[in-house]
Amino acid sequence: METADRILILDYGSQFTQLIARRIREQRVYCEIHPGTMSAAEVRAWKPRGIVLSGGPNSVYDKDVPLADPAIYDIGVPILAVCYGMQMVAHAFGGKVKPGSREYGRADLRIDAASPLFDGFHVGESIVVWASHGDHVDEPPAGFTTVASTRTLPVAAFQAVDRPIYGVQFHPEVAHTPRGAEIYANFVFEICKCEPTWTPGSFIDDSITRIRQQVGGAHVICGLSGGVDSSVAAALVHRAIGDQLTCIFVDTGLLREQERESVERTFRQHLGIRLVVVDASRDFLANLEGVEDPEQKRKIIGAAFIRVFERAAADAGRDARFLVQGTLYPDVIESVSVRGPSATIKTHHNVGGLPEDMKFELVEPLRELFKDEVRNVGRELGLPEEMVGRHPFPGPGLAIRVLGEVTEERLAVLRKADAIYLEEIRAAGLYDDIWQAFAVLLPVRSVGVMGDFRTYENVVALRAVTSRDGMTADWFPFPHDVLAIISSRIINEVHGINRVCYDISSKPPATIEWE
Ligand code: XMP
C-alpha cells in the first residue's frame, strides 16, 4: 500500500504475529508482516513509521535462529520489541537474557516509570498482562531503563534513553492483556506519530486506482463462489472497471438452498455486474457416482470445477487477460513468514483455485486484508449483510456433508434440513455468534415411529462451532429451546429424516467438517 503512515512488523515466528497486525489495523493504521531477517537497507526502502519486532519460539543463544539486522537499531525509526524481540534487542545491546525461565499465563505488571508506551497509565499502577516466554531479560542493557516489572520479571518493559526503542516481555496483542490495545495505540500514535487513515473508504479508493493501472482496458474474469471473499473482490473490481469485468458462477449442484438465486439477485440485479451462470450439476453428480471416499470427492470436484470454469471463461469470450482472486492477507503471510508449513489434514484445495497454466494474470485486490476488513469493505461497497456476514462454506460444498455416496435425493434431503437449521439460527439471533453452522446427512438409518407407523429413515447431525480462524473450534452451546424447535421442525418438515443429533466435538481432535 502506498500510505505514508505504515508500520512494519518483523516476524520471528510467534503464534501471535498476526494478532499484532490486527491490533495495529484496528487503530486504522496500515501495517504489513515481513520476515524477521529483512535487511536494514530493505527496511529503510520500505519507509516504515515504526517497526514491531514480534515474539518467537527461539532463544537468542541458540544457533541458526532468526535475528534482526542490528543496523535497524540505528535507522532512527521507533521500534517496539515484543518478547523474543525484546530479548534480541537486549542481546544486541549487551544486556543479560536469562535462559530457560519459562513462564506462561497471567501476570500483574507494575508500571515503574513514566513512558510514552504507557501514556494514560499511572506510575505505580498494576495491570493484567499475558506472558508466554522461555527466556527473559534480567537486566536492561546499558543505555536502557526499566519501565515496568512483574513479580518474576525484573524487566517486563524497557526503553532506550537516547533513541525510540521500547521492549515488552509480555504480549500486549492478545485478548488476555485487556489494556494491550492502548499500548499499541500509544506506540503508533504517541511514539510513531501515525495518523489513523486506514479505513475501508481509503482502501477502496486506493484499490480502484491500482486495479485500473494494472488492467488498463483489458477484460477481466472473476469466479464467484457465493462466499465473502470472491463476492467482495468482484464488487471492488467492478467498482473500478465496470463492464470490463465478467463474473462466472458455477452451479455444481452441491450448493445450499437458494444459493444460486441469491448470487444472481445480488450480482446481476443489485450490482448490475455481468454474470455468467453455468449449470454443471449433472457433470458433477455424474462424476461423483459411486464415490464414498472424502478425499476422492474433493479431487473429482476440484478437477471438474477447473474444466467447467476454463470452458466458461473461454465461452465468455472477449479474450480476458486477467483473473480476479479473493486471496486474503493470512494466506500471503503464510508464504512469506519464517514459519514452516503446517501438516495437511484435509486437502483444502480451494475449489476456486485454478491451475497455473491458465493464461491469466492475477488481480488480487484483497491481498492486504484480514477477513473482518474484507467484510467492512463489502459493506462499504453496498453488498447485503447476508452476503458479507456469511459463514464460510467449503469449496466441495454439500458433497462432503452428505456422508458416503452423493445422490440427488440425498442432497435434496440435506438441503432442506440445512435450510431449516439456518433459518432457526437466524430467527434466534444467533447467526453472528457462530463461526459456522450446517447439517450433515449421516449414512445410517434409524428406527422411529410417526403416527401409528414404524419408520426407518435417515439421521441428520447438526454442527455449530465458534472459532477465530477455523484452525481450532469449539461446539456452540445452543439454548435447549432453540435445539428443540430445530429438531421438531426438521423431523416434521423434511421427508426422510426421523432423528436429529447435535455434534458436541471440539477441534481438535475432531475437525469442523465431518469429511
Ligand atoms: P476442517 O473440517 O478441516 O475445516 O476443520 C476447517 C475449515 O475449512 C473448511 N473446509 C474446506 N474449504 N475446501 C474448502 O474450500 C475443502 O475441501 C474444505 N474442507 C474443509 C471448513 O468448512 C472450515 O471452514
Side-chain angles (χ1 to χ4, degrees):
M1 272 313 279
E2 282 309 313
T3 164
D5 289 351
R6 54 187 201 166
I7 301 286
L8 174 67
I9 300 166
L10 294 180
D11 180 29
Y12 298 93
S14 164
Q15 55 179 326
F16 302 136
T17 305
Q18 284 204 32
L19 286 179
I20 299 178
R22 297 292 318 114
R23 294 292 93 82
I24 293 174
R25 298 241 186 135
E26 278 160 17
Q27 307 294 336
R28 306 196 158 217
V29 172
Y30 184 70
C31 61
E32 282 182 19
I33 299 172
H34 286 261
T37 47
M38 194 173 182
S39 73
E42 288 168 318
V43 171
R44 263 182 220 277
W46 200 83
K47 295 200 181 78
R49 272 281 152 86
I51 302 169
V52 179
L53 309 180
S54 86
N58 298 297
S59 165
V60 288
Y61 295 115
D62 289 345
K63 275 206 183 95
D64 299 329
V65 293
L67 288 174
D69 179 344
I72 67 165
Y73 304 125
D74 299 323
I75 294 179
V77 167
I79 293 178
L80 174 61
V82 178
C83 200
Y84 173 76
M86 180 193 194
Q87 294 151 21
M88 265 184 332
V89 171
H91 191 55
F93 284 85
K96 244 198 199 159
V97 177
K98 188 170 172 195
S101 50
R102 283 194 62 78
E103 184 179 15
Y104 184 78
R106 188 197 136 110
D108 290 310
L109 181 89
R110 211 183 88 100
I111 318 270
D112 299 317
S115 164
L117 197 57
F118 295 106
D119 194 48
F121 298 77
H122 311 293
V123 174
E125 184 177 358
S126 270
I127 61 165
V128 172
V129 299
W130 185 262
S132 167
H133 55 90
D135 304 354
H136 72 255
V137 178
D138 229 10
E139 254 175 51
F144 283 72
T145 56
T146 301
V147 289
S149 56
T150 73
R151 208 172 45 77
T152 50
L153 295 171
V155 194
F158 67 28
Q159 66 189 23
V161 179
D162 65 343
R163 55 183 96 197
I165 299 183
Y166 302 81
V168 290
Q169 187 55 77
F170 59 93
H171 290 277
E173 61 276 9
V174 303
H176 292 87
T177 301
R179 296 187 66 185
E182 292 171 63
I183 297 172
Y184 277 106
N186 283 338
F187 180 66
V188 298
F189 299 129
E190 298 300 322
I191 297 171
C192 301
K193 308 289 183 209
C194 291
E195 292 289 329
T197 50
W198 168 250
T199 61
S202 70
F203 170 81
I204 292 169
D205 292 344
D206 286 353
S207 301
I208 287 175
T209 313
R210 278 191 293 168
I211 294 166
R212 285 183 183 151
Q213 274 170 1
Q214 185 188 359
V215 308
H219 289 295
V220 179
I221 295 277
C222 176
L224 285 179
S225 70
V228 183
D229 308 343
S230 63
S231 300
V232 175
L236 184 55
V237 172
H238 182 254
R239 178 72 69 89
I241 58 167
D243 267 357
Q244 280 167 252
L245 172 72
T246 303
C247 287
I248 296 174
F249 179 75
V250 178
D251 183 349
T252 57
L254 306 168
L255 303 170
R256 287 164 294 187
E257 199 162 87
Q258 291 293 314
E259 202 151 14
R260 168 174 167 177
E261 291 77 3
S262 132
V263 167
E264 289 185 313
R265 207 170 38 245
T266 305
F267 286 89
R268 197 175 278 151
Q269 286 155 30
H270 186 66
L271 295 174
I273 292 181
R274 188 194 294 268
L275 172 68
V276 176
V277 175
V278 189
D279 185 348
S281 42
R282 275 169 190 278
D283 278 9
F284 281 85
L285 278 176
N287 289 332
L288 286 169
E289 206 179 309
V291 179
E292 293 186 0
D293 176 67
E295 289 303 286
Q296 194 65 22
K297 288 182 187 175
R298 281 188 171 81
K299 284 200 185 98
I300 289 170
I301 294 166
F305 187 92
I306 288 165
R307 268 200 316 277
V308 173
F309 189 90
E310 277 181 324
R311 203 179 318 131
D315 289 351
R318 313 205 304 163
D319 291 327
R321 244 184 68 205
F322 293 90
L323 178 75
V324 179
Q325 293 225 306
T327 317
L328 301 197
Y329 197 44
D331 310 322
V332 178
I333 303 170
E334 277 309 316
S335 56
V336 300
S337 145
V338 294
R339 275 188 295 274
S342 52
T344 305
I345 311 290
K346 299 176 188 181
T347 51
H348 286 198
H349 53 99
N350 188 351
V351 165
L354 294 163
E356 282 171 9
D357 60 4
M358 279 188 91
K359 304 260 174 288
F360 287 118
E361 288 169 50
L362 293 184
V363 180
E364 298 179 300
L366 311 178
R367 271 180 76 84
E368 289 150 355
L369 301 192
F370 287 101
K371 192 82 170 188
D372 54 332
E373 293 174 324
V374 171
R375 293 201 158 108
N376 287 335
V377 167
R379 289 186 182 105
E380 187 89 9
L381 287 167
L383 287 173
E385 194 54 39
E386 67 165 66
M387 192 151 261
V388 294
R390 271 192 129 180
H391 292 169
F393 185 63
L398 300 184
I400 54 168
R401 295 178 179 171
V402 167
L403 306 196
E405 191 186 356
V406 184
T407 63
E408 205 152 354
E409 296 70 39
R410 292 182 68 75
L411 282 168
V413 169
L414 174 64
R415 210 171 263 135
K416 245 178 147 172
D418 190 70
I420 293 172
Y421 182 35
L422 289 173
E423 192 180 310
E424 289 302 328
I425 288 174
R426 284 206 159 92
L430 298 173
Y431 189 83
D432 294 336
D433 298 339
I434 295 170
W435 163 268
Q436 219 173 348
F438 53 89
V440 181
L441 188 62
L442 305 189
V444 282
R445 290 209 286 169
S446 101
V447 172
V449 53
M450 267 181 154
D452 291 330
F453 296 98
R454 175 185 185 275
T455 59
Y456 188 49
E457 301 277 21
N458 292 291
V459 183
V460 86
L462 305 178
R463 183 86 162 126
V465 295
T466 54
S467 175
R468 276 189 86 97
D469 51 15
M471 303 296 288
T472 60
D474 215 345
W475 54 276
F476 182 73
F478 271 116
H480 287 183
D481 54 336
V482 176
L483 283 178
I485 295 171
I486 293 166
S487 156
S488 86
R489 273 199 64 195
I490 291 177
I491 293 172
N492 282 309
E493 295 176 34
V494 186
H495 194 71
I497 292 179
N498 68 355
R499 195 175 294 267
V500 173
C501 301
Y502 186 55
D503 179 350
I504 50 168
S505 332
S506 62
K507 173 183 180 176
T511 51
I512 296 177
E513 304 289 345
W514 278 46
E515 282 198 337

